[in-house]
Amino acid sequence: MTHDLRIGFWTTNGTPWDDLIEQWRIIEESGYDCTGFPDHLMPTAGSIDAPYMEGWTLLTALATLTPRLRVAVLVTGNTYRNPALLAKMATTLDHVTGGRVDLGLGAGWFEAEHTAFGYAFPSAGQRVEMLRESIAIIRSLMRGGRTTYDGAYYTIQDAPFAPLPVQEGGLPIMVGAQGPRMLRLVAACADTWNLNHSPVRMRELGALLNQECEAIGRDPRSVRWSAFSFPGVLDHDPLESVDTFLSLVRAYIDAGASEIAMRMPGPQQYDIVRRAGERLHELRDEYASRSQAH
């Protein structure tokens, strides 16, 4: 199974609105494929009093201004929203965008944020099982008809769900995962695995994910690998130059990724973003040749 190659940039919730409009237009006009936001309510580094906007709201507003890009929240904290509500939100945006939404999900990890905004922060094991239940509910709702679900953490009763997503079968579900329990959940429940780490780490953890897929009889190739990269998980700035950017994308592809996104830089590096966009065809041609060879 071959996945199409996607290359993009993710933007940050602390960027002023007018600057975000400029960034998204640069990403689209430069020929990239995908973009989106994290799902936090306050900064995860630096001053927690710095301005920080809500990701799903930003995603919806900016998706209407960029008619080609695939969009996602990378990844939605499961503990912040009821899964049925999230399914309705994501499906609504799928209609707004004409079917360009990936549903990113994670178990939630930022304890200080949960405390600050009044959300419970269960144990790691409980959060993984909550996410498993959420995915079951979301998939059931997006298949149509009425859904009743009585789980350990979520209960819905004869819930209607219309309209269905534009994307047949429901939105692709992307799960961010690094630990063993989460990798098992990806193997069992997700369409896409997202990792915010280096190509080396993607290769290492990807081998474990493949083992988990094989253990349950799933073709490991059916899982798309999605990489999110930024200086904090590398030993260099991925946008030092166009060649540095291209080399890193190739390294992620070699590791198994078919979707690679960097963090959108500041204005001083917009020119590199644009010039790298002019060479995306090289990466796509190489990827296509590799796919045909296999």
Side-chain angles (χ1 to χ4, degrees):
M1 179 179 295
T2 301
H3 303 281
D4 59 308
L5 179 64
R6 299 176 186 167
I7 303 171
F9 284 90
W10 254 250
T11 49
T12 65
N13 311 49
T15 304
W17 170 247
D18 289 342
D19 294 340
L20 284 171
I21 294 174
E22 180 183 13
Q23 289 182 350
W24 275 52
R25 286 179 172 159
I26 289 171
I27 294 167
E28 175 152 283
E29 291 167 3
S30 299
Y32 295 95
D33 305 294
C34 53
T35 189
F37 289 96
D39 186 36
H40 289 289
L41 305 177
M42 68 186 200
T44 59
S47 172
I48 64 172
D49 295 311
Y52 206 83
M53 294 184 282
E54 196 277 324
W56 274 95
T57 308
L58 287 172
L59 196 76
T60 301
L62 285 159
T64 64
L65 303 179
T66 48
R68 187 182 55 78
L69 294 170
R70 284 199 70 84
V71 301
V73 170
L74 190 77
V75 288
T76 307
N78 180 60
T79 47
Y80 299 142
R81 298 168 190 84
N82 173 281
L85 170 62
L86 180 60
K88 180 63 72 171
M89 290 167 53
T91 297
T92 299
L93 184 54
D94 204 45
H95 281 265
V96 170
T97 63
R100 294 184 285 121
V101 182
D102 291 316
L103 180 52
L105 292 167
W109 64 271
F110 192 19
E111 183 173 6
E113 182 174 57
H114 287 73
T115 300
F117 287 90
Y119 291 102
F121 190 71
S123 69
Q126 288 176 310
R127 281 180 279 127
V128 172
E129 292 310 308
M130 290 171 68
L131 178 57
R132 190 183 302 273
E133 289 193 7
S134 289
I135 292 173
I137 289 170
I138 290 167
R139 288 209 187 273
S140 180
L141 289 168
M142 289 185 178
R143 284 196 296 265
R146 300 288 184 90
T147 293
T148 294
Y149 187 93
D150 186 13
Y153 301 99
Y154 301 106
T155 301
I156 62 175
Q157 181 66 44
D158 199 30
F161 199 82
L164 296 179
V166 173
Q167 298 177 77
E168 187 174 353
L171 278 65
I173 291 181
M174 172 197 300
V175 173
Q178 297 190 36
R181 281 180 295 201
M182 286 293 289
L183 290 171
R184 284 194 291 273
L185 185 146
V186 170
C189 302
D191 302 298
T192 301
W193 168 48
N194 178 260
L195 178 71
N196 58 343
H197 222 298
S198 68
V200 171
R201 193 62 175 150
M202 171 161 269
R203 190 185 299 274
E204 293 171 349
L205 292 177
L208 298 178
L209 174 59
N210 288 343
Q211 291 174 14
E212 296 293 349
C213 287
E214 291 166 354
I216 61 172
R218 180 177 183 180
D219 182 353
R221 296 171 300 176
S222 68
V223 183
R224 178 194 287 276
W225 292 10
S226 171
F228 176 41
S229 186
F230 51 96
V233 298
L234 302 169
D235 58 3
H236 63 281
D237 179 356
L239 290 166
E240 290 173 353
S241 67
V242 172
D243 286 340
T244 302
F245 174 85
L246 297 177
S247 176
L248 183 59
V249 171
R250 290 186 176 105
Y252 277 112
I253 292 172
D254 287 342
S258 59
E259 180 176 270
I260 303 100
M262 313 291 176
R263 179 180 290 165
M264 187 66 179
Q268 69 278 7
Q269 291 178 304
Y270 287 173
D271 182 59
I272 292 176
V273 173
R274 291 187 177 98
R275 288 191 288 115
E278 295 172 356
R279 297 181 62 184
L280 292 176
H281 65 92
E282 299 175 24
L283 299 170
R284 292 181 178 127
D285 289 346
E286 293 168 12
Y287 183 81
S289 297
R290 177 188 301 225
S291 298
Q292 291 171 0
H294 290 83

